Amino acid sequence: MKFSVLLPTRNRLELLRLAVESVQIQDHSDWEILISDNASDSDIAAEMAKLGDARIKVRRSNRLVAVTDNWNESLSMASGEYVIMLGDDDALVPGALSKLQILLEEWAYPDAIYAQARQYAYANVVPGHPAAFMQTGYNAFLEGSTEPFRMSRDIARKMVRGALAFRILYGFNMQHFVFSRRLVERLQPKGPFFQSPYPDYYAANAILLASDTLVVTPDCISLIGISPKSFGFYYVNSNEKEGDEFLNNRATDVVANDARYPRIPGSSMNDSWLCAMETLKQNFPDEGTSISHFRYRSLQYHAVLQSGGKRRYWTVLRAMRLWEIPVFGLAAVTIALARVLPGKMSRRVGDAISHALFSRSPRFDPKRRDVPYRSILEAARGSGA
């Protein structure tokens, strides 16, 4: 069985080499790597040609395009029965493709597989954590699972409802997914496979809604990199603007100029998320999808208040609807009082209100562990993932 590994890239040649090598060392040899070069400064095609492997194909855009367009470009090159997506700072773990081959055969070739993935953060990338580390992200449907299973439609819809309510109940990163070409073809009437300024937020939930058979496995098949110049790096370092420039992400402009969107000042991540969910709702009207604009607005108010700007309170008050002022005012007073009053119960009440209004993820222990690996490829080879 042939796997198509999508590798969109821009200006990260050294990391790209590691991602490519993680595919080359697989013990399953029927694969192709499809590199969509988004106007990199270096000659990616020439560098890849030095590897002398005809299974590696490169297509270059001569102008900077949006990240979503670049992802769709790489997908348009695919000829394999199943597709895997990697960022250029990610890596497959050794043996991933052979494990997937066995899993696909055992489950009669499902529409898609959702597999565990782990994050690998390079040293000195995450503030307050100078060492390289690894951690496993939260997935509600993988808790306690030790064997593969088929995801029910009810669970799939529950996960999507969480995304529409601006809550992360599972990892939206495309590195978790292996999806079939027939699923891509099934979704073609709804437009490109990747849509909105946050293509993974859209595509992950579209896969859950469109798949007749979706198999989940707790086995890790890939490492997701957090490296300098990754959006994750910009985000954890509170520099969304530069991250948006790197991705050529214009979600905030889209939201500001489209009457469908209730534009609220705040985080561009929330704007991108809103765009993805509005697109999902438009493309799957029969699913009864309902977006929590209240949660979107809550997260945006919180982002403004956390920014520390001198006019942040006025910005929030000016954006609020009249009925929101007493709701958030009461919540703010309750949180403040609960946290200063003595007693654990009082503080718990404040924390619970804050979490309900402003947290994107359920409470979980991220379990970071420091590792000695200097690169994601070393981590993939040595972690036993």
Side-chain angles (χ1 to χ4, degrees):
M1 177 183 298
K2 185 176 182 179
F3 291 95
S4 295
V5 181
L6 312 185
L7 252 173
T9 189
R10 181 181 175 222
N11 285 340
R12 296 196 291 195
L13 177 58
E14 292 306 312
L15 293 171
L16 175 65
R17 288 192 178 108
L18 300 178
V20 168
E21 187 174 349
S22 78
V23 182
Q24 288 184 301
I25 64 175
Q26 294 293 311
D27 54 7
H28 178 97
S29 60
D30 194 4
W31 51 260
E32 61 181 357
I33 297 175
L34 307 165
I35 299 173
S36 180
D37 173 21
N38 196 0
S40 293
D41 296 332
S42 55
D43 191 339
I44 299 296
E47 293 297 327
M48 292 298 106
K50 294 176 183 178
L51 299 176
D53 193 329
R55 296 172 295 179
I56 303 173
K57 304 177 177 88
V58 182
R59 186 179 293 172
R60 173 182 169 82
S61 172
N62 291 320
R63 63 179 181 85
L64 180 62
V65 299
V67 61
T68 306
D69 295 335
N70 200 41
W71 285 22
N72 281 316
E73 184 65 26
S74 62
L75 179 58
S76 72
M77 301 163 63
S79 62
E81 291 90 345
Y82 281 87
V83 179
I84 299 171
M85 176 88 179
L86 289 181
D88 54 9
D89 58 352
D90 302 328
L92 288 181
V93 302
L97 297 185
S98 58
K99 289 179 182 178
L100 288 171
Q101 171 83 41
I102 294 171
L103 192 62
L104 289 167
E105 292 173 354
E106 289 179 345
W107 289 86
Y109 303 100
D111 289 332
I113 289 174
Y114 186 97
Q116 185 58 278
R118 297 196 177 99
Q119 293 179 340
Y120 167 79
Y122 282 81
N124 299 310
V125 166
V126 175
H129 204 123
F133 69 84
M134 294 178 66
Q135 70 181 138
T136 301
Y138 177 80
N139 290 283
F141 50 77
L142 271 171
E143 282 191 302
S145 298
T146 58
E147 298 291 336
F149 63 92
R150 178 172 171 172
M151 180 184 289
S152 69
R153 293 288 293 168
D154 287 343
I155 292 177
R157 289 190 177 99
K158 181 179 179 180
M159 296 300 105
V160 175
R161 286 197 299 270
L164 290 161
F166 293 86
R167 297 185 186 277
I168 300 174
L169 302 183
Y170 74 102
F172 302 148
N173 304 74
M174 289 309 297
Q175 296 91 330
H176 287 282
F177 288 92
V178 182
F179 53 94
S180 64
R181 285 182 58 81
R182 69 174 178 273
L183 182 62
V184 175
E185 292 166 0
R186 186 183 305 158
L187 286 168
Q188 279 181 348
K190 301 181 185 298
F193 187 81
F194 298 116
Q195 296 187 43
S196 85
Y198 259 21
D200 47 356
Y201 277 51
Y202 169 81
N205 289 288
I207 290 172
L208 264 58
L209 291 176
S211 294
D212 291 330
T213 52
L214 175 59
V215 173
V216 178
T217 176
D219 288 338
C220 177
I221 65 165
S222 65
L223 299 186
I224 302 171
I226 304 176
S227 63
K229 285 193 173 181
S230 69
F231 183 77
F233 166 77
Y234 293 119
Y235 184 75
V236 298
N237 284 277
S238 302
N239 194 355
E240 275 192 329
K241 183 177 180 181
E242 192 170 347
D244 289 338
E245 291 296 326
F246 179 74
L247 295 177
N248 196 21
N249 182 358
R250 296 290 180 266
T252 296
D253 294 338
V254 171
V255 171
N257 296 315
D258 192 323
R260 294 179 303 165
Y261 300 124
R263 167 68 179 137
I264 302 296
S267 166
S268 66
M269 176 184 177
N270 296 327
D271 284 340
S272 298
W273 195 339
L274 177 64
C275 288
M277 296 302 98
E278 292 284 2
T279 306
L280 191 75
K281 179 181 178 181
Q282 176 181 323
N283 287 345
F284 293 88
D286 296 335
E287 291 291 338
T289 48
S290 178
I291 299 171
S292 175
H293 292 103
F294 173 76
R295 277 276 298 167
Y296 162 73
R297 297 172 72 88
S298 301
L299 293 174
Q300 290 296 69
Y301 298 149
H302 187 249
V304 172
L305 294 174
Q306 293 291 103
S307 68
K310 293 181 179 179
R311 296 175 59 84
R312 61 188 185 276
Y313 296 107
W314 169 242
T315 300
V316 168
L317 284 172
R318 189 173 57 182
M320 276 186 173
R321 294 166 178 168
L322 285 176
W323 65 268
E324 290 177 331
I325 295 175
V327 171
F328 284 96
L330 179 61
V333 171
T334 304
I335 291 169
L337 288 175
R339 287 180 173 170
V340 299
L341 291 174
K344 291 183 179 180
M345 184 59 68
S346 297
R347 289 191 293 273
R348 285 175 182 170
V349 170
D351 289 344
I353 295 172
S354 180
H355 183 82
L357 287 176
F358 306 123
S359 177
R360 299 183 182 95
S361 304
R363 300 177 190 273
F364 71 102
D365 181 2
K367 295 180 181 176
R368 291 180 182 177
R369 61 182 179 93
D370 292 350
V371 293
Y373 310 119
R374 295 168 297 175
S375 74
I376 197 165
L377 187 59
E378 281 189 18
R381 281 173 156 161
S383 66

